[in-house]
Amino acid sequence: MAMARRSGSHLLSSFRPFSLLLQPPLADAPSPAASAAVASARRALSSASALRARDEKDAARWRESMDRMRNIGISAHIDSGKTTLTERVLYYTGRIHEIHEVRGRDGVGAKMDSMDLEREKGITIQSAATYCTWKGYQVNIIDTPGHVDFTIEVERALRVLDGAILVLCSVGGVQSQSITVDRQMRRYEIPRVAFINKLDRMGADPWKVLNQARSKLRHHNAAVQVPIGLEEEFEGLVDLVEMKAYKFEGSSGQNVTAYDVPSNMADLVNEKRRELIEVVSEVDDQLAEAFLNDEPITANQLKAAIRRATVARKFIPVYMGSAFKNKGVQPLLDGVLDYLPCPLEVDNYALDQNNSEEKVLLAGTPAEPLVALAFKLEEGRFGQLTYLRIYDGVIRKGDFIYNVNTGKKIKVPRLVRMHSNEMEDIQEAHAGQIVAVFGVDCASGDTFTDGTVKYTMTSMNVPEPVMSLAVSPISKDSGGQFSKALNRFQKEDPTFRVGLDPESGQTIISGMGELHLDIYVERIKREYKVDAKVGKPRVNFRETITQRAEFDYLHKKQSGGQGQYGRVCGYVEPLPSGSGGKFEFDNMIIGQAIPSNFIPAIEKGFREACNSIVLTDGASHQVDSSELAFKLAAIYAFRQCYTAAKPVILEPVMKVELKFPTEFQGTVTGDMNKRKGIIVGNEQEGDDTIVVCHVPLNNMFGYATAIRSVTQGKGEFTMEYLEHNIVSQDVQMQLVNSYKAAKGTE
């Protein structure tokens, strides 16, 4: 019995800890310390689960917020209707309460063209950011310029966006700047929808434009809408996904009425819907399976397939309408929500500076450390305004952030959301948003973090300037303001360069074209009250060599004390066409004819030659050789062999697209031939002729006036940099003689 009792008591004691959770213990009450420990453990468990629940709730809130966000840009050729479309979007989403036109007679002008110059000229010069809400989604929009002169504005906007609307004119079709903008979208891997605008205009043909996009832009696309009537009879649209017809009624097209597809359009609508399904099936396996099995395709199935294909950049849905006539804008907004990605669906990469610039995929969530890119600068009323795209983490007013490029720690004094030139103060912003900060000194392209990571975002592509002007202030007293203006513009615009001509001492400004530089000269006058004197536009010529030439040069100078001694031998030769750099230096010396510590000085001396240079031999002196001696030897060696290498001058050649009424074809092409233009394309478009030619930039000055005068103001042209080409012998002689004459008069 005693045995059994011991065994029983042993069993009971072994279960006693378990009884703490189930019922009061049968034996002694626990000590106060044990009770406190249990209570503490319970509190810790409770707070941990509460924290986890809160984190999960926060994560769900962030995810929903980012799922309901779109960052889009609106880009197109000049006068395709980008700013007009943005104005309608802002009106229908309730951000503005009146519609104003780009060249409005009411003196107000479109909301996104906030600069006086933009309203006067009826063009967009700077990209403008805004945001709006549509059906519970936040849409951040950047309206970009169409002129090639302001291409950097498009470049930096696309760098930070997740999706885009490519606007095409239903009459003009795919034009030169449409091709450039599409190329930029490809470079930054931007999913996009196309919008064929101006269906109310005479000669509108959306199907021609859709086919042009396939052939010229290599778009895998199909229409998701069919217009009801065209030109003056344009009434509404048929949605091929939902199979519903829509009309836009009310004074500003704000009332969208849905009704059944008109019976006289049934055949066309069925044919176009089948084409849409076929085109999407080619790039989406799920839809292809249903299509091949002859299963009926529901609207939801088709919508999901279009979204998958668009986000994967395998398909471009094509919308239609007329922004000016207030038709088709609301369905386009629905398309932005339905088919363009949210920030979480886009892969963004940073370079880890602590790990040899290894590529890092950013999570794109607010839970990660802050990573933000400064993509645009503006001088505002309250100091420098810096536009930021936040890729990871959260930024709050009053936070300290680190500029990875400069290593500086900066406090965020003011955080705002932009609505064209108006600001709305906010306390914080999270991953996926586009905001602006005040009082942060940085350059365009700098990356900011919270200091826990050292990431930089990949840089954007900045094209080289093609034209230069000599400028100087008329009044010597305004030199300070003049310098201030140039420094500010240079900081804001990476394609605007300022330099000093070492020979003439003149200030030289360089940019992307005549209009680009004219705008800056005008802004100096308006914003800084400085009248500037402008010299003749100068083209940025280059020089190169055409054949290999040997050099063997000894630089020897004795002037008491240590002299200068350096001998270099080698050859110069032209780089093969298509080489990435302008200069290559090869050290092919075998042995120690020249000590290795002098080689960088030799390379420095040759660098201004900007061609392929090979060093094969040389000689040095134990006492008299120095870095300066070898640098001078390299410079003189290059001068010695340069003439033997048969140098030639290169000039910038522009790709020019002309559009004018056919009746003026003879006069316009004759004028182009006089300007040494080579015609590479000629096509008919209704009553207009479109001519594409390659023309030296030096012969294109003042062409805007010339084409207007020969076409009675009906002709237009666009111009973009193509390449640098060798000038003809007579032009080369002319340039050399004018340079010698200019040197002689000094």
Side-chain angles (χ1 to χ4, degrees):
M1 285 294 289
M3 246 332 245
R5 262 199 312 274
R6 271 201 302 275
S7 164
S9 68
H10 177 68
L11 281 170
L12 187 63
S13 65
S14 70
F15 274 100
R16 183 167 287 187
F18 200 64
S19 68
L20 278 171
L21 300 174
L22 302 176
Q23 60 185 44
L26 300 176
D28 308 328
S31 67
S35 298
V38 170
S40 172
R42 279 179 179 160
R43 277 198 306 274
L45 193 66
S46 167
S47 69
S49 53
L51 197 66
R52 191 162 57 249
R54 196 179 72 202
D55 284 351
E56 284 171 8
K57 194 176 175 184
D58 277 354
R61 187 165 57 86
W62 289 122
R63 177 166 283 281
E64 187 184 3
S65 161
M66 293 183 76
D67 277 343
R68 292 184 159 270
M69 188 187 293
R70 300 288 182 271
N71 292 317
I72 63 160
I74 299 178
S75 301
H77 184 81
I78 311 149
D79 282 345
S80 294
K82 300 175 294 300
T83 306
T84 305
L85 174 62
T86 313
E87 190 81 357
R88 290 341 183 246
V89 167
L90 295 177
Y91 178 72
Y92 295 135
T93 56
R95 287 294 291 145
I96 58 173
H97 305 296
E98 282 182 280
I99 292 174
H100 295 286
E101 301 310 334
V102 171
R103 291 187 178 89
R105 291 183 185 148
D106 55 7
V108 179
K111 179 72 193 172
M112 301 304 276
D113 286 347
S114 57
M115 201 190 285
D116 289 343
L117 270 169
E118 293 180 313
R119 293 181 175 185
E120 280 174 30
K121 291 179 180 284
I123 59 168
T124 302
I125 292 168
Q126 290 186 330
S127 54
T130 187
Y131 65 95
C132 57
T133 306
W134 181 249
K135 296 186 177 177
Y137 284 72
Q138 186 187 322
V139 183
N140 295 313
I141 302 170
I142 297 184
D143 173 33
T144 61
H147 276 271
V148 71
D149 287 32
F150 309 111
T151 190
I152 189 65
E153 292 290 334
V154 185
E155 197 81 38
R156 59 182 164 197
L158 292 176
R159 170 68 187 80
V160 297
L161 295 171
D162 303 323
I165 299 171
L166 176 65
V167 183
L168 300 167
C169 173
S170 65
V171 182
V174 173
Q175 294 156 288
S176 60
Q177 191 64 6
S178 317
I179 297 168
T180 305
V181 166
D182 188 70
R183 195 185 306 128
Q184 289 170 320
M185 289 178 181
R186 281 181 201 276
R187 185 183 299 133
Y188 295 112
E189 299 181 341
I190 305 278
R192 51 208 181 275
V193 300
F195 179 66
I196 298 176
N197 195 16
K198 304 191 179 185
L199 290 190
D200 60 301
R201 274 187 54 189
M202 186 75 75
D205 186 351
W207 308 113
K208 175 200 76 176
V209 179
L210 193 136
N211 288 324
Q212 275 184 354
R214 287 174 181 169
S215 58
K216 289 186 179 181
L217 304 177
R218 303 192 310 282
H219 279 186
H220 188 76
N221 65 7
V224 291
Q225 294 172 328
V226 172
I228 303 169
L230 284 172
E231 300 177 358
E232 289 176 357
E233 293 167 14
F234 177 50
E235 289 177 16
L237 296 158
V238 175
D239 185 333
L240 296 176
V241 178
E242 302 283 355
M243 289 301 277
K244 281 260 168 61
Y246 294 101
K247 276 192 178 171
F248 306 89
E249 293 161 344
S251 58
S252 303
Q254 67 271 39
N255 304 323
V256 183
T257 312
Y259 61 102
D260 291 334
V261 177
S263 54
N264 63 334
M265 291 184 69
D267 291 345
L268 175 66
V269 167
N270 288 330
E271 178 201 324
K272 292 296 178 187
R273 189 174 200 266
R274 186 174 175 81
E275 184 187 318
L276 170 65
I277 293 167
E278 277 180 22
V279 173
V280 178
S281 297
E282 288 172 22
V283 290
D284 186 81
D285 293 342
Q286 290 181 40
L287 190 70
E289 198 175 323
F291 177 63
L292 292 171
N293 293 336
D294 274 341
E295 294 171 16
I297 309 287
T298 65
N300 287 341
Q301 273 180 300
L302 185 51
K303 197 177 273 190
I306 293 172
R307 180 173 180 78
R308 286 191 298 270
T310 306
V311 170
R313 303 189 312 281
K314 293 177 180 175
F315 175 72
I316 297 171
V318 179
Y319 284 82
M320 300 179 187
S322 167
F324 184 66
K325 294 289 184 184
N326 310 313
K327 289 172 183 167
V329 178
Q330 295 97 322
L332 175 65
L333 272 169
D334 291 340
V336 165
L337 309 187
D338 290 339
Y339 304 134
L340 290 181
C342 73
L344 292 170
E345 293 173 296
V346 178
D347 289 344
N348 289 303
Y349 292 91
L351 304 175
D352 188 349
Q353 298 302 316
N354 290 334
N355 195 7
S356 310
E357 294 204 346
E358 189 186 334
K359 252 189 167 186
V360 180
L361 177 64
L362 297 176
T365 67
E368 300 294 317
L370 173 71
V371 178
L373 175 73
F375 67 94
K376 179 175 160 64
L377 310 177
E378 262 179 35
E379 195 68 33
R381 293 190 301 276
F382 310 103
Q384 182 175 300
L385 181 68
T386 305
Y387 285 78
L388 291 179
R389 161 71 199 261
I390 306 166
Y391 287 98
D392 264 355
V394 179
I395 187 169
R396 293 180 181 87
K397 182 183 172 182
D399 274 2
F400 281 97
I401 56 174
Y402 291 82
N403 185 330
V404 179
N405 301 67
T406 62
K408 286 181 183 172
K409 180 181 177 182
I410 304 158
K411 189 176 182 180
V412 179
R414 190 177 171 197
L415 192 63
V416 294
R417 269 200 303 194
M418 298 304 296
H419 178 42
S420 185
N421 61 337
E422 294 168 14
M423 286 160 253
E424 179 196 323
D425 280 281
I426 53 174
Q427 294 304 308
E428 68 169 39
H430 61 75
Q433 289 187 316
I434 292 171
V435 293
V437 291
F438 267 113
V440 172
D441 186 37
C442 66
S444 188
D446 283 0
T447 305
F448 291 94
T449 69
D450 58 4
T452 56
V453 291
K454 200 175 178 186
Y455 292 166
T456 55
M457 300 304 294
T458 50
S459 60
M460 62 193 126
N461 179 61
V462 178
E464 286 292 314
V466 294
M467 187 183 287
S468 300
L469 278 177
V471 287
S472 57
I474 290 171
S475 163
K476 288 185 179 175
D477 300 339
S478 50
Q481 284 291 88
F482 181 69
S483 301
K484 196 176 170 185
L486 293 181
N487 287 338
R488 174 195 151 188
F489 296 147
Q490 202 176 359
K491 208 171 182 184
E492 283 181 12
D493 183 352
T495 58
F496 179 73
R497 313 273 172 90
V498 180
L500 201 67
D501 189 325
E503 289 162 11
S504 65
Q506 287 178 306
T507 301
I508 306 293
I509 58 171
S510 306
M512 299 307 297
E514 220 167 343
L515 179 65
H516 189 211
L517 297 178
D518 282 351
I519 292 290
Y520 277 117
V521 170
E522 187 66 26
R523 284 183 68 189
I524 291 170
K525 187 177 176 181
R526 291 185 185 215
E527 294 172 33
Y528 289 88
K529 308 289 184 283
V530 176
D531 282 320
K533 187 169 65 182
V534 181
K536 182 184 177 293
R538 300 194 331 179
V539 172
N540 294 349
F541 290 100
R542 294 179 188 167
E543 287 179 73
T544 189
I545 55 173
T546 54
Q547 67 179 37
R548 175 171 158 157
E550 308 279 340
F551 60 83
D552 181 347
Y553 187 83
L554 171 64
H555 176 68
K556 192 174 178 182
K557 194 174 181 184
Q558 200 68 42
S559 56
Q562 185 183 347
Q564 290 180 7
Y565 184 95
R567 181 183 171 211
V568 287
C569 309
Y571 58 88
V572 296
E573 63 179 1
L575 285 166
S577 60
S579 299
K582 297 177 185 172
F583 170 85
E584 278 180 21
F585 177 80
D586 282 340
N587 177 16
M588 293 176 69
I589 295 177
I590 297 164
Q592 283 288 313
I594 299 175
S596 56
N597 57 312
F598 294 136
I599 300 297
I602 297 170
E603 183 177 349
K604 204 172 178 184
F606 276 126
R607 189 152 284 279
E608 59 195 57
C610 287
N611 243 294
S612 180
I613 291 170
V614 179
L615 190 64
T616 56
D617 201 358
S620 64
H621 188 278
Q622 279 188 328
V623 177
D624 290 349
S625 286
S626 64
E627 286 192 4
L628 177 64
F630 275 108
K631 184 183 170 187
L632 291 170
I635 291 168
Y636 292 128
F638 175 72
R639 288 180 186 170
Q640 182 194 60
C641 70
Y642 184 60
T643 317
K646 295 217 172 148
V648 290
I649 297 171
L650 305 175
E651 65 179 346
V653 174
M654 310 302 281
K655 181 185 177 189
V656 180
E657 186 177 289
L658 307 157
K659 187 175 182 182
F660 50 87
T662 306
E663 61 194 277
F664 302 110
Q665 187 166 358
T667 327
V668 174
T669 50
D671 184 53
M672 264 297 127
N673 290 332
K674 275 187 207 163
R675 294 171 188 270
K676 297 189 178 172
I678 299 165
I679 293 170
V680 293
N682 190 334
E683 61 181 85
Q684 210 64 26
E685 195 176 85
D687 295 334
D688 288 340
T689 296
I690 294 172
V691 172
V692 179
C693 45
H694 298 164
V695 196
L697 175 60
N698 204 30
N699 303 339
M700 284 300 289
F701 290 124
Y703 189 65
T705 313
I707 191 170
R708 285 190 197 116
S709 63
V710 297
T711 61
Q712 298 169 10
K714 296 172 187 169
E716 58 182 52
F717 79 102
T718 56
M719 182 167 76
E720 64 178 305
Y721 171 72
L722 182 68
E723 61 187 348
H724 266 74
N725 255 349
I726 298 170
V727 301
S728 58
Q729 199 60 39
D730 60 320
V731 174
Q732 181 158 325
M733 286 303 297
Q734 196 181 326
L735 289 166
V736 171
N737 291 337
S738 59
Y739 176 74
K740 284 178 180 171
K743 290 289 282 181
T745 56
E746 286 173 11

